[in-house]
Amino acid sequence: MNQRSPIHELADGLIGPDGRGLRLEDLPPPDTKRWVIRRKAMVVAAVRGGLITLEEACARYSLSVEEFLSWQRAIESHGLPGLRATRVQLYRDL
């Protein structure tokens, strides 16, 4: 059985964390202040899938490269629940 990561790209298009197609207009607005799991995951999926570059994401959302990479590592290590702000310390200790 082939299991996919929660964030993946298919040959026919980029798929976001909710399983739907992901387009530039689906991304959170540039002035986003409240970073819920879904929004973080969408930005990570967009960068991984080549929809936007890491540099574009960081500039668009005023993120440091380190912050973006921490989101990416959280997904890789713990899946989407790793993106919860309240769980960051718990997962860092593991």
Side-chain angles (χ1 to χ4, degrees), residues 13-32 34-47 51-52 60-61:
L14 181 62
I15 303 298
D18 60 359
R20 298 183 205 169
L22 186 59
R23 300 166 302 171
L24 195 56
E25 56 266 21
D26 298 325
L27 293 178
D31 61 349
T32 296
R34 188 165 180 263
W35 284 101
V36 296
I37 292 170
R38 178 181 52 79
R39 290 179 184 150
K40 292 176 184 178
M42 289 176 81
V43 173
V44 171
V47 171
L51 188 60
I52 59 175
R60 177 178 174 131
Y61 298 112

Side-chain angles (χ1 to χ4, degrees), residues 27-90:
L27 293 178
D31 61 349
T32 296
K33 300 290 183 236
R34 188 165 180 263
W35 284 101
V36 296
I37 292 170
R38 178 181 52 79
R39 290 179 184 150
K40 292 176 184 178
M42 289 176 81
V43 173
V44 171
V47 171
R48 282 184 171 175
L51 188 60
I52 59 175
T53 66
L54 172 61
E55 294 77 16
E56 289 168 335
C58 290
R60 177 178 174 131
Y61 298 112
S62 300
L63 301 172
S64 67
V65 171
E66 292 79 15
E67 184 171 15
F68 174 86
L69 293 176
S70 75
W71 294 356
Q72 188 168 282
R73 280 191 305 274
I75 291 171
E76 290 168 356
S77 299
H78 306 289
L80 297 180
L83 291 172
R84 281 196 172 142
T86 56
R87 294 290 186 191
V88 169
Q89 190 60 48
L90 172 68

